[in-house]
Amino acid sequence: NLLEFLEGKRSTAGLKRTFVYHDGTVYYFNDTKQKDFSQKETGTPDYSDLPLKKYLSVIEIANPMHRLWSDGRWNKLTLAHGCYWGKCTFCDISLDYIKRYEPNTAKLICDRIETIIAQTGERGFHFVDEAAPPALMKELALEILRRKLVISWWTNIRFEKSFTSDLCILLRESGCIAVSGGLEVASDRLLKLIDKGVTVEQVTKVAANLTHAGIMVHAYLMHGFPTQTAQETIDSMEVVRQLFEAGVLQSGFWHRFAMTAHSPVGINPQAFNVRHIPNAIPTFANNDLEYLDETGCDHDAFCDGLRKSLFNYMHGIGFEFSLQEWFDFHVPKTKIPTSHIETIIGAPDARTIRADNKIVWLGTEPVARKTIKGKKEKTELQFAGKKADFTVSFGIKEAEWLQRVLPELIPGHAEPMTISRMEKSFEENGLEHFQVLLHGKSFQVLRENGLVII
C-alpha cells in the first residue's frame, strides 16, 4: 500500500493502519476493505543473504532468559499472530497485533523450520509469540517428533493449567529448553483485577511441571499496578522468593507498571481508581500515559529492593534474609506463610484422565522375558531408558498386547492413539479391567519413563 501511494497509484484514503502528516496535522487512515494477509500467506523468513557467522554474541545482563535473547543467534518464527487470551488489562489489547488472533498449523510451522535450517544450518528457534497457545504447542511437539527434527526452541506462554506434567515432558522431548510467562503481581486479588486468568497456585503448579521436565522458567514480574498496596508488594515479593527457593523459577525480572494508551487501564482509568495527568507536551506517539494512583503506595520506592533481592534469588542466595533487609525504609511484614509455595507444589494433582486424551510413547521398544513369581507366570518387559534401563512386569497376555500397541503410540503413526481407542483395543484382545491397568503400578512406571497422556 505504501509503495503504491508513493508511486501515485493509491490515495491516502486507501492506506492501511497508517498515520499521515499533512499541513501540520496528523491523520489516521485505515482502509477496512483491504484484508490482512493470513499467517499461511506471509511466507518463510529468508536469511540466505545475511552474513550470519559475523554477528556478535552479547551477554547484556546476568539473567538466564535475557542471555538467551542475545547470546548466540536464534531463528525467529511465530506460532500464532496476536494473543489467544487478549484480556489482560495492562496490555494493548485494542491494537491489531494483539487482538487479531490467528494461529498457524503445526505442519506449516515445521515446513518453515525445515526451510530455515536448510538456509542457515542452525537449529535454534525462538517463537516470538505474545503467548504461544498450549494446544498448538502440543501439536507442534508431536509434528517435530514425527519428522524426527532435532532442534532447540523457546517461547513465551501464559501459565495455563493445560501445561500438565505430561505435556511439559512432551515439549521437552521436542526440543523446548525454556519458556517465559507472566506471573505479574503474584497476588490473587491483583491477578483478578488484571484479568490474567491465572492464580498464584496455578502458576506455581505449571512452573513446577516445566522445571521437573527440564525446561527453564522465566517469570515476568510487575509491581505498581493501580491500587497495589505496600502489603501486596511485599507479599508478592515473598511469593517470588519462595518460588526461587523451591527451585521452580530460574529467572525473572521486575517491571514497573506503565499505563499505555491502548490498554483497558489507559482507556478507562476510572475503573481502576486512577486518573490521567495530561502531558505538558503532546507527542506524535504518545503511548505511555502519566497517571495518579491515590489508593496505592509509593511504587517507585520499592524498585531497588525488588531488583536487588531478585538478583540474589536468581543466584541461589539471600533466601534467609528478611524482606526488610532489602529496603532502606520500613516495609510491612509479609502475611504469606513460610511454606506456602511448598504446600502448593506438594499437593496431589487432581487432574483426571479423559477418554479423548492422546497417549504417546516416547521410549524404545521392549525386550520380553517370561518369569515365574510364586505360582503366576509373568512377562518382564525390559526397556532401554535415556538415563537408565528399567523393567516392568505384566501378565503374559497384557504384555503381548502392550508390545503390539506400543508402536502405535510413537509419534508419526497414522492415527494418534486415544485412551478410548486403547481401551477398545484392550477389550478386543479378550482382556479385562483396563482402568485397573491404566492406574496400576506397572503403568505408572511407564508414565515415569516416557508414556505421556496429553
Side-chain angles (χ1 to χ4, degrees):
N1 288 185
L2 289 172
L3 289 173
E4 289 176 2
F5 170 74
L6 294 173
E7 292 170 355
K9 299 176 181 178
R10 180 180 288 265
S11 69
T12 53
L15 292 172
K16 181 77 172 178
R17 288 196 296 272
T18 303
F19 289 95
V20 177
Y21 179 77
H22 181 68
D23 289 341
T25 305
V26 174
Y27 300 92
Y28 179 68
F29 295 96
N30 185 19
D31 179 11
T32 54
K33 296 186 294 295
Q34 180 78 35
K35 292 184 178 179
D36 290 292
F37 288 100
S38 68
Q39 285 294 293
K40 66 181 180 182
E41 295 176 302
T42 58
T44 304
D46 185 356
Y47 296 96
S48 58
D49 296 323
L50 292 175
L52 298 176
K53 302 300 181 185
K54 295 185 179 181
Y55 285 85
L56 295 174
S57 291
V58 180
I59 303 175
E60 58 175 319
I61 190 170
N63 176 302
M65 181 56 73
H66 291 178
R67 177 172 180 169
L68 270 184
W69 290 341
S70 52
D71 184 15
R73 199 194 73 79
W74 298 88
N75 299 313
K76 306 285 186 177
L77 280 175
T78 306
L79 301 181
H81 180 281
C83 179
Y84 68 93
W85 179 250
K87 297 180 182 180
C88 296
T89 55
F90 64 83
C91 185
D92 291 333
I93 59 176
S94 65
L95 295 181
D96 178 82
Y97 87 97
I98 299 289
K99 72 179 181 180
R100 180 166 58 87
Y101 173 67
E102 184 190 344
N104 272 311
T105 65
K107 183 180 182 301
L108 180 59
I109 295 164
C110 282
D111 288 345
R112 291 176 176 176
I113 286 172
E114 291 180 328
T115 299
I116 291 176
I117 290 174
Q119 285 179 4
T120 66
E122 297 183 9
R123 294 175 174 270
F125 287 83
H126 175 201
F127 299 116
V128 296
D129 292 60
E130 294 298 313
L136 181 53
M137 291 174 72
K138 176 178 70 176
E139 294 306 316
L140 174 66
L142 291 170
E143 187 66 19
I144 288 171
L145 293 169
R146 285 188 195 105
R147 299 192 189 196
K148 295 181 169 56
L149 294 175
V150 180
I151 65 172
S152 296
W153 61 274
W154 56 287
T155 190
N156 189 50
I157 66 165
R158 295 182 66 254
F159 288 105
E160 292 273 10
K161 61 183 179 182
S162 306
F163 289 104
T164 63
S165 57
D166 286 44
L167 177 57
C168 293
I169 290 169
L170 178 73
L171 297 177
R172 179 203 65 199
E173 287 296 308
S174 72
C176 181
I177 60 170
V179 296
S180 55
L183 171 55
E184 317 305 358
V185 289
S187 158
D188 284 337
R189 181 188 78 85
L190 290 166
L191 284 171
K192 187 175 181 180
L193 187 61
I194 286 173
D195 203 359
K196 190 70 184 178
V198 301
T199 62
V200 170
E201 179 180 357
Q202 184 174 312
V203 171
T204 301
K205 284 284 192 182
V206 170
N209 289 341
L210 290 160
T211 297
H212 294 157
I215 298 172
M216 185 181 79
V217 183
H218 170 90
Y220 295 115
L221 305 167
M222 180 192 298
H223 73 101
F225 194 79
T227 72
Q228 184 172 9
T229 65
Q231 183 67 62
E232 287 173 322
T233 301
I234 290 300
D235 288 347
S236 295
M237 183 181 178
E238 172 63 11
V239 168
V240 171
R241 186 195 71 80
Q242 290 187 28
L243 286 166
F244 274 95
E245 188 173 31
V248 298
L249 278 188
Q250 295 79 48
S251 176
F253 190 83
W254 283 106
H255 300 258
R256 172 72 166 83
F257 167 76
M259 181 188 289
T260 57
H262 304 284
S263 67
V265 178
I267 293 170
N268 186 18
Q270 295 83 4
F272 299 87
N273 293 317
V274 293
R275 57 188 175 90
H276 287 163
I277 300 175
N279 290 336
I281 304 174
T283 58
F284 171 65
N286 187 19
N287 191 49
D288 283 4
L289 304 176
E290 293 185 47
Y291 66 97
L292 184 63
D293 179 4
E294 295 176 330
T295 58
C297 59
D298 179 3
H299 303 304
D300 290 334
F302 289 88
C303 291
D304 286 344
L306 292 172
R307 185 175 64 250
K308 286 188 294 185
S309 64
L310 186 62
F311 181 85
N312 282 270
Y313 299 157
M314 281 195 296
H315 288 80
I317 56 178
F319 298 123
E320 72 281 7
F321 293 173
S322 72
L323 302 187
Q324 177 63 64
E325 293 191 45
W326 301 110
F327 301 95
D328 57 6
F329 60 95
H330 176 73
V331 297
K333 290 184 178 181
T334 181
K335 295 183 178 180
I336 303 296
T338 54
S339 60
H340 181 56
I341 296 301
E342 285 288 358
T343 300
I344 293 173
I345 294 171
D349 190 352
R351 187 178 298 273
T352 57
I353 298 173
R354 302 192 316 269
D356 61 344
N357 282 138
K358 294 177 182 177
I359 184 162
V360 178
W361 174 237
L362 302 171
T364 59
E365 291 191 26
V367 175
R369 184 172 69 89
K370 290 185 179 180
T371 63
I372 298 176
K373 291 187 177 181
K375 294 182 179 181
K376 291 185 178 181
E377 276 193 299
K378 292 277 188 179
T379 297
E380 286 187 345
L381 298 181
Q382 299 174 334
F383 294 86
K386 291 188 175 181
K387 295 181 179 179
D389 295 349
F390 63 98
T391 300
V392 187
S393 180
F394 289 96
I396 292 175
K397 289 186 177 181
E398 290 175 341
E400 290 174 351
W401 166 80
L402 192 58
Q403 281 184 285
R404 288 194 300 272
V405 81
L406 273 179
E408 297 182 40
L409 309 184
I410 298 172
H413 196 267
E415 184 179 358
M417 181 69 76
T418 61
I419 292 294
S420 60
R421 280 190 60 227
M422 195 174 189
E423 184 170 10
K424 184 178 179 181
S425 169
F426 186 80
E427 293 170 349
E428 287 175 348
N429 280 268
L431 298 167
E432 297 178 338
H433 310 302
F434 174 76
Q435 292 297 325
V436 174
L437 175 76
L438 182 63
H439 296 93
K441 290 183 178 179
S442 295
F443 226 73
Q444 186 61 37
V445 174
L446 292 178
R447 292 195 64 183
E448 292 168 359
N449 290 277
L451 188 72
V452 296
I453 299 174
I454 51 178

